Amino acid sequence: MSLRKYLTSRVFFTQVFLAALIIGVLGYLLMHWLTFTTDHGNEITVPDLSKLTEEQVEEKLDELDLAYVLLDSVDYRSDYPKYSVVQQDPLPGAKVKVGRKVYIKINSSGFSSVKIPDLIEKTYREAIPTLRALGLEEGTITYIPNLGKDMVLEMRFKGRNIKAGDKVLKGSKIDLVLGDGKASYEESIPTDSLASPIDEMPNEQ
């Protein structure tokens, strides 16, 4: 059979049809296999885990076929319950695949203690950043007569004087006593100007 007759024969068209059918079936199966292995179109919305305990996180993520990993605890935050989630990654609302791990950080059980820094004779502008860097807060500011304007003269906590090295809890408010920049010296008045002169006794010859 010549090539021309073969290309126009029923056998040729039957073979082309079968080949196209096989290719279509294989393509269809391949797409479904890719969809199955990559979970294409089967994404899960990450829930908000904020302020949940670790047990509540595990229960909630199990229902969604997600997992979690506890990274660490963070410094105590009073606006969150103890041992509750403070941070999570991915963030709430993110779309993830089944089995994705959500990384969490939980709140500490309470404030840790810190040592009071030495702020005496430092300026107010120097003292406040130092307190905040340690997790402490600015309390009441009181001024007393002193030549050193805005110089820290005393540190107080809950009404009592404290010194460098004393320990308080993070988040505590430290009251500062500052100088007002005004002189506080008083000139003393001499008291011996009215004293009676001592008579000299004549020498007896």
Side-chain angles (χ1 to χ4, degrees):
M1 180 183 294
S2 64
L3 178 61
R4 182 176 179 181
K5 288 183 178 181
Y6 173 73
L7 294 178
T8 57
S9 66
R10 180 178 297 180
V11 175
F12 173 76
F13 285 111
T14 301
Q15 291 177 343
V16 171
F17 173 76
L18 290 176
L21 181 62
I22 292 172
I23 293 173
V25 171
L26 290 177
Y28 177 80
L29 293 176
L30 179 62
M31 291 299 296
H32 275 266
W33 179 77
L34 290 174
T35 301
F36 176 77
T37 55
T38 62
D39 290 320
H40 180 71
N42 188 22
E43 294 182 327
I44 299 172
T45 302
V46 176
D48 186 2
L49 305 177
S50 177
K51 299 185 178 181
L52 297 183
T53 64
E54 190 175 351
E55 292 77 12
Q56 291 172 324
V57 167
E58 183 175 8
E59 181 179 350
K60 192 164 190 175
L61 294 183
D62 279 347
E63 295 175 353
L64 298 172
D65 292 327
L66 299 175
Y68 79 95
V69 175
L70 176 59
L71 293 179
D72 197 3
S73 61
V74 299
D75 289 338
Y76 180 70
R77 294 178 55 174
S78 58
D79 52 335
Y80 283 80
K82 296 178 181 179
Y83 304 115
S84 67
V85 176
V86 176
Q87 299 176 16
Q88 70 176 85
D89 180 36
L91 296 174
K95 302 292 185 180
V96 298
K97 303 291 179 59
V98 172
R100 170 66 186 271
K101 293 178 179 179
V102 179
Y103 298 89
I104 62 173
K105 292 184 179 181
I106 62 174
N107 201 18
S108 300
S109 60
F111 288 114
S112 57
S113 61
V114 294
K115 288 184 179 181
I116 295 294
D118 186 4
L119 302 179
I120 301 302
E121 295 188 355
K122 294 187 180 296
T123 64
Y124 173 79
R125 294 182 64 179
E126 294 173 326
I128 296 305
T130 303
L131 289 176
R132 291 175 179 170
L134 294 172
L136 300 173
E137 298 181 13
E138 172 187 353
T140 302
I141 303 299
T142 306
Y143 287 90
I144 61 174
N146 189 276
L147 287 175
K149 182 173 176 58
D150 291 331
M151 180 184 293
V152 177
L153 304 175
E154 297 178 23
M155 299 180 292
R156 296 174 182 173
F157 176 62
K158 294 184 177 180
R160 63 180 178 85
N161 281 16
I162 55 176
K163 62 183 183 301
D166 289 347
K167 289 187 175 182
V168 296
L169 295 178
K170 277 190 176 182
S172 299
K173 291 186 177 181
I174 306 301
D175 302 327
L176 300 178
V177 178
L178 308 178
D180 61 3
K182 299 179 182 178
S184 60
Y185 301 114
E186 294 182 1
E187 296 180 1
S188 58
I189 301 176
T191 57
D192 56 350
S193 59
L194 299 179
S196 300
I198 298 176
D199 295 334
E200 294 184 359
M201 297 296 292
N203 292 330
E204 293 183 358
Q205 301 259 335

